[in-house]
Amino acid sequence: MTAYGTGRFDPARVAHLSGRFAPVTEEVDEVSLAVEGELPGDLDGVYLRNGPNPRFTPIGSFLYPIDGDGMLHGVWIEGGRARYRNRFVRTPAVLAEERAGRALWGGIESMITPDEREVGPELARTFRDLPDINVVRHAGRLLALAEAACPFRMTPDLETAGRETFGGALPAGITAHPKTDPATGEMAVFCYALEPPYLTWSLIAPDGTGARGPVPVDGVDEPMMIHDMALTGRYLVLVLAPVFFAPGAAMSGGSLIDWRPEAGTRVLLIPRDGSPVREVADDAFWLWHTVNAHDEDDGTVVLEYVQWSRLSLGDPGGEPARSALVRAVLDPAAGRMRRTVLDDARVEFPRIDDRRTGTRHGRVAVAWDSGRSPDLLPGEFDALRWYDTGAPGVPSRTWHAGDLSVGEPAFAPSPGRADEDRGHWLAFATDRGDDTSWLLVFPAGEPESGPVARVRIPVRVPLGLHGNWLPSEE
């Protein structure tokens, strides 16, 4: 996770704007994709992935993975055949820049905004929307999600329908990692902001209307960055690492991000029924992504996540950040948490069978930097690994990708089957030799055996960030 500063900015020197991360500008429709192997007959739906993809060459600064316009890549699978389409998320800023034929807004750290002569009074001196992190479906709505802003609603064929405020209930938006309760259909969300209230949470009803909130969270007295959350039957679980925003420093040429390890890390347990928030605390750590969480009968909460020793966003120097897969037991009665490292490998993008959200899960899939490929950039991985975190010793299985750089895995369950081993794992991958991109399909029962099918994508899919399998039956 890398930042590139505002002084004498040269996009040609930005690693995450080149090579396998370089943006693509061509929008492609391909009705019949070449397949190596055989696509499983029970795969019927679309795999969608969103990621930062600047429409034009950035100006001012570039903060990976936050900056960049959203681009959705979709692979539709039915009857053993596959088709592909990619489309930009066309926000008002993207449309204005397309009319101008160049970038008008700078990266978020540059604070560059266009004036009225360039974009008119409605967009002048505003910050651009960045729905480039994730894509989810809820209540029949397809949503391209930003770090902390309104999502954009997309049509089934990936055209942009407009900003989504959930009937006006959430005008400030949500973050990029909402969690849907598979038992109730409610979607839990939160949002952080640069002005009070700095942190709010909400529940969105199964029909897409606002069920509760936005509810301000007490005790958050300055703007903080919180990327992900977890959900249990009782709580929203929010990890408040000591990452604070410093807009004043950014306006004077400094960093927007302020890492203060002396403040420690707090974990908030926010009851879904609106009762008082509980809190536990520990020494400082950062997390990008949670795995899952569940309630225990004794009142504790078990949270699994990928832990980082610090946040390097906005600070590429210093000691390299270390990651680990961690299980924490949160004890709200005592105000403490107990952390156990399950594996200290360099992993990220943890995923489970989403039908287990908020309850005990057995399998966790991650992308892994095995150390075999010395030319990988931060956020690039050359293997996939699957953990059985519910088993003694937390056994794991690994598939080494060779010359492929692999992205986040996502689970596609077999219709009508509840077992986590009945289904397939999907992931995009790009060949480091010839830049060809593929959708890989792994059997959930034996993923270490490698993909049963490789679908050739007609364009290179830039590495990063998040995607989901959306079955046709829903």
Side-chain angles (χ1 to χ4, degrees), residues 224 239-244 259-267 279-286 337 339:
M224 304 183 72
V239 177
L240 276 60
V243 178
F244 301 88
W259 168 249
R260 303 181 204 161
E262 67 279 3
T265 290
R266 303 154 59 197
V267 182
E279 178 177 326
V280 303
D282 207 341
D283 295 337
F285 65 88
W286 165 255
M337 61 187 296
R339 292 184 276 165

Side-chain angles (χ1 to χ4, degrees), residues 127-430:
F127 292 102
R128 72 184 302 128
D129 295 290
L130 297 170
D132 61 348
I133 305 295
N134 198 4
V135 55
V136 301
R137 184 172 64 188
H138 181 256
R141 298 169 179 170
L142 187 62
L143 303 174
L145 297 165
E147 174 63 18
C150 286
F152 274 71
R153 189 169 178 176
M154 310 298 292
T155 68
D157 57 0
L158 307 188
E159 301 301 333
T160 304
R163 191 177 282 110
E164 178 62 64
T165 64
F166 304 96
L170 299 175
I174 63 177
T175 52
H177 289 287
K179 295 293 187 288
T180 298
D181 187 331
T184 67
E186 279 189 322
M187 185 166 73
V189 304
F190 71 98
C191 190
Y192 61 79
L194 296 180
E195 298 178 349
Y198 295 114
L199 180 62
T200 59
W201 66 275
S202 308
L203 295 176
I204 299 172
D207 65 359
T209 60
R212 181 189 293 272
V215 180
V217 178
D218 293 335
V220 181
D221 301 322
E222 55 184 313
M224 304 183 72
M225 181 176 179
I226 311 162
H227 185 69
D228 199 357
M229 62 169 285
L231 183 69
T232 76
R234 292 199 299 259
Y235 299 109
L236 284 73
V237 183
L238 295 182
V239 177
L240 276 60
V243 178
F244 301 88
F245 286 103
M251 293 182 69
S252 60
S255 176
L256 179 65
I257 306 297
D258 186 11
W259 168 249
R260 303 181 204 161
E262 67 279 3
T265 290
R266 303 154 59 197
V267 182
L268 304 184
L269 300 173
I270 302 174
R272 293 168 61 170
D273 64 6
S275 54
V277 175
R278 314 293 294 276
E279 178 177 326
V280 303
D282 207 341
D283 295 337
F285 65 88
W286 165 255
L287 72 79
W288 284 106
H289 301 114
T290 64
V291 175
N292 192 26
H294 69 267
D295 301 309
E296 292 281 23
D297 292 339
D298 64 0
T300 62
V301 172
V302 177
L303 171 68
E304 291 182 7
Y305 60 95
V306 173
Q307 176 177 292
W308 289 86
S309 57
R310 69 181 183 98
L311 175 68
S312 58
L313 183 70
D315 178 23
E319 179 184 349
R322 303 179 307 279
S323 68
L325 182 65
V326 170
R327 177 184 293 137
V329 177
L330 315 177
D331 186 346
R336 295 193 301 267
M337 61 187 296
R338 183 177 73 254
R339 292 184 276 165
T340 302
V341 173
L342 304 180
D343 191 359
D344 61 1
R346 194 172 183 85
V347 299
E348 251 301 347
F349 298 131
R351 295 298 298 268
I352 63 168
D353 177 348
D354 289 333
R355 298 173 301 175
R356 301 293 195 273
T357 298
T359 62
R360 293 178 182 270
H361 60 271
R363 182 71 53 82
V364 178
V366 298
W368 177 39
D369 177 357
S370 71
R372 296 184 177 187
S373 307
D375 61 337
L376 299 185
L377 291 173
E380 187 173 8
F381 304 91
D382 63 351
L384 296 175
R385 178 170 278 186
W386 292 264
Y387 297 92
D388 293 312
T389 58
V394 191
S396 65
R397 293 180 273 184
T398 300
W399 180 74
H400 290 279
D403 291 333
L404 297 176
S405 290
V406 292
E408 175 191 59
F411 186 64
S414 293
R417 307 301 295 265
D419 194 328
E420 292 175 83
D421 282 341
R422 303 306 292 266
H424 297 85
W425 289 93
L426 310 179
F428 276 132
T430 295

